[in-house]
């Protein structure tokens, strides 16, 4: 809900030159917290980790209206990243516990569908509420939605982790081998390369929309959602049937095409067409990546494997946010080069899947 409104809110505080930090600081904290959420998910349980992530959303949403300086805003944005660092890790591990192997990607696709609806319809709802009643009301509504998540978690979700431990502060001590799961390097590389573009979109689409004369800065995400919903109903099943890597080759190529379409956009219609292609590509990509990560990871450390994948995701989003803000620098003439650069980065994901990853697999099989 906040994404399209935060750049203008930060500008009002005097921080127009720090727009890239809105996504960058958030994803930095999310990435830093992943090893902790992965370890805690595998020790104290999936549900407590999810509850903590949702509670962070509640508290931070209520604090935004109280900040009055650029530093305070950026500090709050940094700590808000705990929410994404914890909630998706617990959720994905929970789903992996309850779903059979042969329907894993299908299930991840359905969870991703719900996530996409929230991530993508949220900006439109947030923009509408902010225009109607002001940005403070939008922040309060965001807190309410997060609180409803906590209510559902506490009231109706049974813990799936066997042999749980009680929380103790010694669990927060992370060993080197607990930072990430080496077995899922392949999914991590592809996740990083494909999510750089997502960080870019979150950062500059509000400005790009305004540049093209689109009043509702969240409209791009509405079209993105519609496309993603349509493809996710089939995407998981296709990955379970045809394999993770073939689907990821297709989705990576589609992501690159969508970036080229945005670079060439001179009208709202072309921009929204790019949103449709991007939504379809990400709808194919996300469940396949998640299922591939679980396939390759240690069954006893699902949380760690998924946290590793999410570290790569946050790194991609964060670098995309910083890079796009640096290149764009509030000058519309740099929109095209920003999108073209993202297309090139995404193309390398396809190159990795076609030529580099198979070679590494063959090398591993010879030892």
């Amino acid at each position: 809900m906040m994404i399209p409104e935060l750049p203008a809110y930060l500008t009002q505080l005097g921080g127009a030159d720090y727009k890239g930090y809105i996504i960058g600081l958030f994803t930095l904290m999310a990435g830093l917290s992943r090893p902790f959420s992965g370890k805690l998910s595998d020790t104290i349980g999936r549900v407590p980790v999810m509850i903590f992530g949702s509670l962070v959303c509640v508290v931070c949403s209520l604090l935004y209206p109280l900040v009055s300086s650029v530093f305070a805003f950026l500090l709050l944005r940094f700590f808000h990243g705990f929410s994404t660092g914890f909630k998706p890790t617990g959720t994905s591990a929970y789903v992996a516990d309850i779903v059979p192997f042969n329907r894993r990607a299908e299930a991840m696709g359905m969870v991703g569908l719900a996530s996409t609806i929230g991530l993508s319809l949220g900006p439109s709802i947030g923009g509408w509420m902010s225009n109607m009643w002001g940005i403070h009301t939008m922040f309060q509504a965001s807190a309410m939605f997060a609180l409803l998540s906590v209510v559902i978690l506490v009231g109706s979700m049974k813990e799936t982790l066997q042999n749980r431990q009680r929380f103790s502060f010694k669990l927060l001590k992370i060993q080197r081998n607990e930072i990430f799961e080496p077995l899922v390097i392949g999914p991590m590389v592809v996740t990083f390369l494909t999510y750089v573009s997502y960080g870019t979109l979150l950062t500059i689409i509000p400005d790009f929309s305004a540049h093209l004369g689109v009043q509702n800065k969240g409209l791009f995400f509405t079209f993105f959602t519609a496309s993603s919903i349509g493809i996710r109903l089939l995407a998981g099943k296709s990955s379970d049937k045809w394999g993770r890597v073939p689907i990821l080759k297709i989705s990576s190529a589609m992501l690159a095409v969508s970036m080229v379409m945005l670079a060439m956009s001179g009208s709202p219609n072309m921009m929204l067409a790019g949103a449709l292609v991007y939504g379809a590509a990400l709808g194919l990509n996300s469940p396949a990546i998640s299922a591939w990560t679980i396939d390759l990871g240690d069954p006893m450390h699902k949380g760690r494997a998924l946290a590793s994948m999410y570290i790569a995701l946050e790194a991609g989003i964060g670098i995309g946010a910083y890079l796009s803000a640096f290149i764009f620098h509030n000058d519309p003439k740099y929109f095209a080069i920003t999108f073209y650069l993202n297309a090139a980065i995404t193309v390398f994901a396809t190159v990795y899947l076609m030529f580099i990853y198979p070679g590494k697999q063959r090398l591993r099989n010879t030892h």
Side-chain angles (χ1 to χ4, degrees):
M1 293 175 67
M2 301 178 185
I3 292 301
E5 303 304 319
L6 288 182
Y9 191 65
L10 181 58
T11 299
Q12 291 176 4
L13 294 174
D17 293 335
Y18 299 95
K19 291 178 182 178
Y21 289 85
I22 292 174
I23 302 300
L25 287 173
F26 183 91
T27 55
L28 175 61
M29 173 55 85
L32 291 174
S33 64
R34 293 289 184 187
F36 298 94
S37 66
K39 183 175 182 178
L40 292 174
S41 178
D42 288 333
T43 51
I44 69 170
R46 323 305 193 189
V47 174
V49 167
M50 290 190 279
I51 290 173
F52 178 78
S54 294
L55 283 175
V56 171
C57 278
V58 176
V59 174
C60 289
S61 296
L62 293 175
L63 289 177
Y64 278 105
L66 303 180
V67 300
S68 57
S69 69
V70 173
F71 175 78
F73 175 91
L74 295 177
L75 185 64
L76 178 59
R77 191 66 187 156
F78 179 67
F79 283 108
H80 196 168
F82 267 117
S83 60
T84 296
F86 273 71
K87 180 65 171 65
T89 303
T91 300
S92 297
Y94 188 97
V95 173
D97 289 342
I98 64 175
V99 174
F101 171 82
N102 63 343
R103 301 191 67 183
R104 183 171 287 165
E106 181 184 356
M108 289 298 178
M110 296 307 295
V111 173
L113 173 62
S115 177
T116 300
I117 292 173
L119 282 168
S120 305
L121 288 184
S124 294
I125 297 171
W128 171 72
M129 293 189 73
S130 185
N131 290 334
M132 289 290 293
W133 298 295
I135 195 167
H136 287 186
T137 300
M138 185 269 290
F139 286 134
Q140 293 161 1
S142 176
M144 181 195 70
F145 278 112
L147 184 60
L148 288 175
S149 173
V150 176
V151 171
I152 293 170
L153 287 164
V154 172
S156 62
M157 294 186 67
K158 183 180 179 181
E159 180 57 56
T160 57
L161 179 67
Q162 304 296 320
N163 303 317
R164 295 172 59 195
Q165 301 180 33
R166 293 180 62 88
F167 174 79
S168 66
F169 285 101
K170 69 179 182 180
L171 292 175
L172 299 180
K173 184 178 181 180
I174 301 296
Q175 304 296 328
R176 179 179 295 182
N177 64 346
E178 295 173 329
I179 296 175
F180 72 92
E181 175 58 73
L183 296 174
V184 298
I185 291 294
M188 289 178 69
V189 171
V190 176
T191 298
F192 172 78
L193 293 171
T194 53
Y195 273 86
V196 169
S197 61
Y198 194 68
T200 294
L201 296 182
L202 292 175
T203 302
I204 69 172
I205 280 298
D207 288 319
F208 190 53
S209 299
H211 171 68
L212 294 179
V214 179
Q215 185 174 3
N216 188 333
K217 301 171 198 172
L219 191 61
F220 176 95
F221 296 97
T222 301
F223 276 70
F224 160 83
T225 301
S227 177
S228 186
I229 289 173
I231 200 70
R232 280 181 187 273
L233 296 175
L234 301 173
K237 290 183 179 180
S238 65
S239 174
D240 287 330
K241 182 177 181 180
W242 302 107
R244 320 305 187 197
V245 174
I247 295 301
L248 288 170
K249 291 177 183 177
I250 295 171
S251 64
S252 299
M254 289 175 62
L255 286 171
V257 169
S258 70
M259 290 295 105
V260 172
M261 293 175 67
L262 291 174
M264 299 174 64
S265 294
S267 67
N269 288 341
M270 187 66 172
M271 180 192 77
L272 296 177
L276 291 175
V277 175
Y278 189 85
L282 205 62
L284 283 170
N285 180 280
S286 180
I289 283 277
S290 298
W292 192 27
T293 300
I294 299 168
D295 292 346
L296 297 179
D298 185 339
M300 297 299 295
H301 298 291
K302 293 176 185 175
R304 183 193 302 173
L306 289 162
S308 300
M309 183 268 289
Y310 281 120
I311 288 172
L313 182 146
E314 304 298 350
I317 293 175
I319 289 176
Y322 282 123
L323 189 62
S324 61
F326 175 77
I327 297 173
F328 166 49
H329 204 63
N330 296 312
D331 190 338
K333 70 181 180 182
Y334 294 118
F335 276 128
I337 191 172
T338 303
F339 289 126
Y340 279 129
L341 178 60
N342 277 268
I345 292 171
T346 307
V347 163
F348 192 69
T350 304
V351 173
Y352 176 83
L353 287 165
M354 293 181 68
F355 302 109
I356 300 174
Y357 179 74
K360 289 185 175 182
Q361 288 299 99
R362 286 193 296 270
L363 181 63
R364 179 182 299 173
N365 292 336
T366 63
H367 293 281

